[in-house]
Amino acid sequence: MKSDKEKDITTKNLSVLEVLNKHLEDYLNLLEQSLTTEGLSLLILKEFIEVSNFFISIGDQEYNKAQTDKNPDFKKIYILNYLLPESFKNTMLIHRDVLLQLQISKNKKQESLVDDQTVQHHLKESKAILEKAINSFAQKISAELNPAQQTDKKRKKHISKTKHQQNPWEVYKNQFLTVQNQAKEIEKSTHTLSNIILVFKDIKNHTQNICTTLISELENSKQTISKVLDSVQNLDEIVKTADTISLIEDILDDLEVTNTEQETYAFDIELKIASLEENSIPVASEDGLLLIKKIDFNKSAKKWLNYMLLPDMIELWQNRTNLLAFYKHSLINLKSSLTLLKNNNTLETLPSQVQSIQNLLRSANTNENLQRKIIGLVQEKFSAEFLVSNIYQTEDFLRVSLQSSITQLTSSKNKFLLEVEKKFKNILSFFSRTYEISTADNPFMKLEASSKCIEYRTFKASNVHYDTLFLNKNFIGDLFFVPRETEKQKLQETLSLWKKGHNKAVLVVGNSLSGKSTFIESAAKDHFDKQSIFLEIDSTISVEGRKFTTTKNLAEALQHIKKHTYNFHPLLVIDNLELWRDKNHSLLDNVRAAIEFVESESDQVFVIMTTSNAMQSHLDKRLPFSNSFSSVIDVNKAKTDEIHKAILLRHGASHRSLVTEKGLPLLNKQLELYVQKLCKNYDNNMGEVLQAWTYAITTADDHKVIFEEKEYDFEDFFTPEEIIILKYVLLYKHINEIVLKNLLGNRYSISYKSGLKRLTNTKVFLRNTEGNLVLNQVLYHNIREILKYRGTLN
């Protein structure tokens, strides 16, 4: 590219359009040179951006003249502000998309998914489409410079458009600047992804080194066994047994049965992925828009390693331990037998010792075959799945951007893009993988994926007896209840002070399924026996023999309790405080009544209320809510060992054997690892983990339950209106069409009715026996996470 001074000398006598054409010619000359993928990317980022900046500057110049000059050049304004910008925008889009494809090509080459020949072919085609796009735009300029085309009729048309239509230049200029910024984002993500690929490769190499070590160790063990076998077979004199025994003792001294790699592997991997974080990565274009995925590579890598890799690695280490233990046991037996032969001065039973060593060698060969098979699977998973490039969609090279630009750019009459589109149908797809680290961007794909997730999690009739053990929230027999020791101790301390005359009230908080009701029912049974009042909506309570029918007026119910509790000191439980509301009694009024009761009566009545963490935060912003209680007990997170115990208790009650999909018993270590994963995925929410356990279980007819771990992601396909509805239901437990219509008025039919219908049709909402819409309980965790991510929920 020529210097600015040279350009000024060359172009000082040319018109603006001629100078623009000269810039395009210089750029084309650079495109025709021999370039690498990196060189072409740099050319786009530097030289083409300079061309676009020049176009913006001359467009600005004519736009300003149109605003200030009394007699502006309507023809030039029309060309630079009306006619050319649309074509130039599409030229910029194609350059941006080619830049993205070059990044993808580089990533795939770095991950050894494509060879040099494929990259060169891709580079050649990339240059070709850029050259043809520039030529098309240049021809459009040349047509405007041709005097033969400048008729009086066209001139009048230009004047009419510029006078009577709003100048679109500012809109186009913003679009140009946006595309430039997108190109810079692509450049930035190229460096980011390159570093992430290096981390992924490091993890892969580290794991493969462990696998190589395991195989090498096996081969060495086989050589040692063969050495012992030769020594035993050559025993023809009693005196030689001492040498064989000494050999066995040396082997036993060097034998290491423990798996040090297993103990450090997770820690090593954690260190390697510590540098990974959440990034926004351009991944594709659709209808001229650049699609960007927000991907937490740290979380995604952990998830893949936990679910896809660790079970195989654990099996490898377990096989090693089993073989070495058998190996050690066999050698000890052999040493004892040889010692006995030496002491008895006989070699009579020597053939049986030879046979035992041969059996050991066969076991080592069998184990090696098994280990090599598992390692092969590990390598296949790494090669096909653990790839940064899998974030991209399965679209043909540049196909989307061509479709979005075809109408505009074929108007130059050379029809080159029609030929290019046909040509690119035959180009090797650079998006051939199916595994994705993050979610898809297409809303219909998201909806389809989410529907599969809901279907997978939905209660299945064939599992009814087994699932009931895990899903029945009222199933609190002594054998199935797992105490929450920390929370139980906190409640006990508060209760002890209350019994000494202190005013005490407890707020129990936790998300849905966390076990709030179970906790307070257990507390009532342990400490109050029959002196408990469970205050529920539309029910009948009895206080000192006096019955009272509740409505949704909490103040009225509390007043009745206040009148008739002067002779005894009961426990008062108000579970799910957020349910106390209707059109005549707002939740805030009922909460105020509850707070007043706590302040005046909590020395006479021990009050426990429950609500969700989200509702607690919501009420704290409007009232001194949490501060009104002497203790706040958060049962949202249970300890991992408590959840593990709960799963074992419920599974044990099924009297069924737990096996893998291959029919093999599920090892305790595998079970423990899976429970840990569930606890991590569901934030140690007791009920959600118990529920998630059932997703992977299928009952068989032979008193077995098959554990088959699968993963279906629930994706965010919601509109802003649907997000608002979801937040309301998460806070208040349920909704119906009438309530929503009363809240929103005319906006309900305009913006929210269709959203509510879609949430119902997709089974995100289910209708309960009262006709209200409630959130599908298998989606509680996902909906909370989506609302947090959207910034709708704290």
Side-chain angles (χ1 to χ4, degrees), residues 7-212:
K7 289 177 186 176
D8 291 340
I9 295 172
T10 305
T11 62
K12 61 183 179 180
N13 296 320
L14 300 178
S15 69
V16 170
L17 289 180
E18 289 173 328
V19 174
L20 178 58
N21 244 345
K22 193 73 176 64
H23 278 282
L24 295 174
E25 288 175 10
D26 292 342
Y27 178 65
L28 276 173
N29 291 333
L30 293 172
L31 269 178
E32 291 170 359
Q33 296 177 11
S34 178
L35 295 169
T36 61
T37 297
E38 290 79 6
L40 182 55
S41 298
L42 187 60
L43 187 68
I44 294 171
L45 288 165
K46 185 178 179 183
E47 305 299 342
F48 182 73
I49 293 298
E50 284 188 9
V51 173
S52 66
N53 285 334
F54 178 73
F55 186 82
I56 291 171
S57 67
I58 61 177
D60 271 342
Q61 180 180 315
E62 295 308 317
Y63 178 76
N64 292 331
K65 287 180 180 179
Q67 309 301 315
T68 59
D69 289 5
K70 293 182 179 180
N71 296 306
D73 187 341
F74 292 110
K75 174 189 171 184
K76 193 181 291 185
I77 293 170
Y78 172 74
I79 292 172
L80 290 173
N81 290 168
Y82 291 79
L83 180 64
L84 293 182
E86 187 66 24
S87 297
F88 190 71
K89 179 182 75 174
N90 285 282
T91 305
M92 288 188 74
L93 289 176
I94 287 182
H95 274 76
R96 179 204 66 189
D97 290 349
V98 167
L99 183 64
L100 178 60
Q101 304 305 319
L102 292 172
Q103 173 196 283
I104 296 170
S105 173
K106 181 181 177 182
N107 293 340
K108 288 186 174 287
K109 179 66 172 65
Q110 190 178 355
E111 292 191 297
S112 303
L113 298 176
V114 292
D115 55 25
D116 290 333
Q117 185 179 356
T118 304
V119 171
Q120 287 303 313
H121 176 68
H122 178 268
L123 177 62
K124 179 182 176 182
E125 298 293 349
S126 299
K127 288 175 62 177
I129 194 171
L130 293 180
E131 289 170 357
K132 290 180 179 180
I134 293 295
N135 282 324
S136 171
F137 183 65
Q139 288 178 15
K140 211 169 191 58
I141 297 172
S142 298
E144 295 304 319
L145 291 171
N146 187 354
Q149 293 198 18
Q150 309 309 316
T151 63
D152 289 340
K153 184 178 181 181
K154 277 195 173 184
R155 183 174 175 277
K156 290 179 180 178
K157 182 181 178 181
H158 297 167
I159 294 173
S160 176
K161 278 198 173 185
T162 54
K163 280 186 174 181
H164 301 106
Q165 291 185 11
Q166 184 176 354
N167 194 319
W169 173 250
E170 286 293 315
V171 175
Y172 281 121
K173 179 182 176 180
N174 287 333
Q175 291 174 347
F176 297 155
L177 295 175
T178 297
V179 176
Q180 286 185 353
N181 288 332
Q182 289 173 347
K184 293 174 184 176
E185 285 297 315
I186 292 171
E187 178 189 22
K188 180 182 176 183
S189 69
T190 301
H191 301 299
T192 300
L193 291 175
S194 179
N195 292 331
I196 294 171
I197 288 171
L198 292 177
V199 174
F200 275 43
K201 280 190 172 183
D202 188 25
I203 294 171
K204 180 180 178 181
N205 292 335
H206 179 70
T207 305
Q208 289 178 335
N209 287 338
I210 291 175
C211 294
T212 301

Side-chain angles (χ1 to χ4, degrees), residues 349-366:
T349 60
L350 193 61
S352 64
Q353 309 310 321
V354 172
Q355 183 63 46
S356 67
I357 303 173
Q358 289 173 338
N359 291 339
L360 179 58
L361 188 58
R362 278 194 291 272
S363 296
N365 286 324
T366 301

